[in-house]
Amino acid sequence: MSISGGPSAVNMLRTALPSRKQTLTLDACIHGDSESLDRWLSHFGTERETLQTLGRSAERLRRLLSLLYLRIREHDIGLDKTVVTYLRVARVREQLRTEAVQQACNRVLTTVCNSGATPIVLKGVALAETAYPDPSTRHCHDLDLLLPHDAIGPAVTELLRTGFGRIESPPSASVESVWVADRSGFPIGIHASLHRVGAWNALMPGAVSRSVARNISGVAVRILSPVDALLHVCCSGLAAGSWFSPCWAADASFLIEKNGGAIDWNDLVEKARAGNQAKAAAVAFEYLKSELRAAIPAWVIDALRASSMTSVEIDSLWAALLLSVRERKLGFIRRCGNPVEGAHAAWWLLTRRQETRETVNA
């Protein structure tokens, strides 16, 4: 049996997309129009059901509540007072937390810059200040920084010297990453690569050189260019699994809305192909356009779908799927929708994963 499970891997990757409840909440949060809010309200049912769903950890909606409250107040949607109070408390809590997060980020970024390095700030913290309506509408549970290999040691040494402490890496972290925390326990991940899927780092040197200067939390640092940030957010979000957090879809949507005119879609397609990310990006973009009404040209999705797949890209899709279930083999197999997908998944686990161990930086 040869490795020919590309279509199976693409189909299975769609199981890492947000759930129906997550999608309705994301749509209401991103657009905030009366139609999306009415759909959200009608789907969630009674006051008790709404509160149970919003608070249920399995749905992972708590990180969206501050933004949801903002949208509801903008349109004066009629909700039960108990639900409104619940959302208002979440909004206030997030605003207070954002102040603390920005203070922590200022200390971290200042310290890392003092070590002689200029970090690239990734994901939530970068996008909260550059793409979202306001920073407190994007819950940030950690700070992710990209640094060259040889700059990580001095940066960590300076952080430890100034009161930060080493912590155990999260289960989803790469072994190349170093994790520290400040006295409040706020985690900081310092990474030498953008992705845990090794093949997706093929164009990382170019992404570093294309990064742009920005002021984040009061410190002059760098962030990824819109094209690189969009690919990074979508692909890393799928690999993380939306059951863990659906925030990547909001990140991508706001990134497109904020930088739509600056995104060179031809360039994005070429980079996705060259970086072994075309099929993963197609899955993410299909969802963003069809479910969240993102302004992605249809021809972009068609071009990504039509890209031929190499064995390297097929392996990268299977690796991303395994990561999306926290490398639990049983969970990986359960994603299979039919015997053909199951056969391809089992084949990859038994043979190709051993041959391409470097595909996953774990």
Side-chain angles (χ1 to χ4, degrees):
M1 182 178 181
S2 62
I3 180 67
S4 58
S8 293
V10 172
N11 287 334
M12 286 177 62
L13 193 60
R14 293 190 176 97
T15 65
L17 291 168
S19 68
R20 184 59 181 162
K21 282 186 172 65
Q22 288 175 335
T23 297
L24 287 169
T25 307
L26 284 163
D27 191 35
C29 286
I30 292 163
H31 297 287
D33 55 33
S34 57
E35 291 184 3
S36 63
L37 288 165
D38 286 343
R39 282 195 298 270
W40 175 83
L41 187 60
S42 63
H43 186 83
F44 275 63
T46 65
E47 167 202 336
R48 181 178 179 182
E49 291 170 338
T50 300
L51 291 174
Q52 286 179 341
T53 302
L54 292 177
R56 191 178 299 134
S57 59
E59 295 295 343
R60 300 289 178 174
L61 297 177
R62 292 177 183 174
R63 296 177 182 180
L64 300 172
L65 298 186
S66 174
L67 181 55
L68 182 60
Y69 176 77
L70 181 66
R71 297 307 197 198
I72 287 172
R73 299 315 297 171
E74 286 174 346
H75 290 270
D76 195 26
I77 299 298
L79 283 178
D80 182 272
K81 289 183 179 179
T82 305
V83 177
V84 173
T85 300
Y86 179 85
L87 293 174
R88 182 169 57 247
V89 170
R91 169 73 172 163
V92 172
R93 185 185 296 119
E94 196 65 57
Q95 288 173 322
L96 295 173
R97 188 178 186 279
T98 297
E99 292 179 9
V101 166
Q102 289 182 325
Q103 291 173 5
C105 290
N106 179 277
R107 293 193 297 271
V108 174
L109 297 175
T110 299
T111 303
V112 172
C113 290
N114 287 342
S115 74
T118 301
I120 297 176
V121 182
L122 304 172
K123 299 182 183 177
V125 169
L127 294 172
E129 296 195 29
T130 61
Y132 274 73
D134 70 66
S136 63
T137 55
R138 207 300 185 178
H139 177 90
C140 297
H141 57 279
D142 59 19
L143 170 63
D144 289 290
L145 305 177
L146 181 67
L147 284 176
H149 276 283
D150 58 2
I152 292 179
V156 172
T157 298
E158 186 68 13
L159 286 165
L160 297 179
R161 188 186 68 80
T162 53
F164 293 82
R166 290 286 291 265
I167 60 172
E168 184 177 350
S169 300
S172 59
S174 165
V175 294
E176 292 183 324
S177 302
V178 177
W179 286 81
V180 300
D182 67 0
R183 291 184 179 90
S184 72
F186 183 67
I188 302 100
I190 304 176
H191 313 288
S193 57
L194 284 170
H195 298 280
R196 284 193 66 195
V197 178
W200 288 352
N201 290 311
L203 300 183
M204 194 181 76
V208 171
S209 66
R210 290 186 295 271
S211 64
V212 294
R214 285 290 185 276
N215 188 294
I216 301 294
S217 298
V219 183
V221 290
R222 303 188 73 81
I223 63 173
L224 294 175
S225 71
V227 165
D228 293 313
L230 186 55
L231 286 173
H232 181 236
V233 162
C234 290
C235 292
S236 61
L238 287 175
S242 294
W243 70 269
F244 177 70
S245 172
C247 288
W248 71 266
D251 291 346
S253 297
F254 284 119
L255 187 60
I256 293 168
E257 181 180 334
K258 186 79 171 183
N259 299 281
I263 294 177
D264 184 336
W265 293 105
N266 283 294
D267 184 50
L268 184 145
V269 170
E270 291 305 313
K271 283 182 170 56
R273 287 171 173 167
N276 305 299
Q277 297 170 296
K279 297 302 183 181
V283 169
F285 287 2
E286 288 167 4
Y287 170 80
L288 292 170
K289 186 173 181 64
S290 64
E291 300 294 334
L292 302 182
R293 297 175 277 166
I296 301 171
W299 70 263
V300 172
I301 298 173
D302 292 339
L304 293 170
R305 286 173 179 159
S307 299
S308 58
M309 277 190 287
T310 65
S311 61
V312 172
E313 185 170 6
I314 294 172
D315 282 328
S316 74
L317 293 173
W318 290 117
L321 278 162
L322 187 60
L323 288 173
S324 75
V325 294
R326 294 297 184 268
E327 300 186 66
R328 297 183 180 93
K329 295 180 181 179
L330 184 58
F332 180 79
I333 295 298
R334 283 175 176 168
R335 292 286 184 94
C336 304
N338 56 61
V340 173
E341 291 176 359
H344 283 136
W347 175 257
W348 186 82
L349 279 175
L350 292 172
T351 60
R352 293 293 296 182
R353 188 187 180 207
Q354 299 302 317
E355 296 172 13
T356 59
R357 190 173 291 275
E358 73 280 359
T359 300
V360 180
N361 296 325

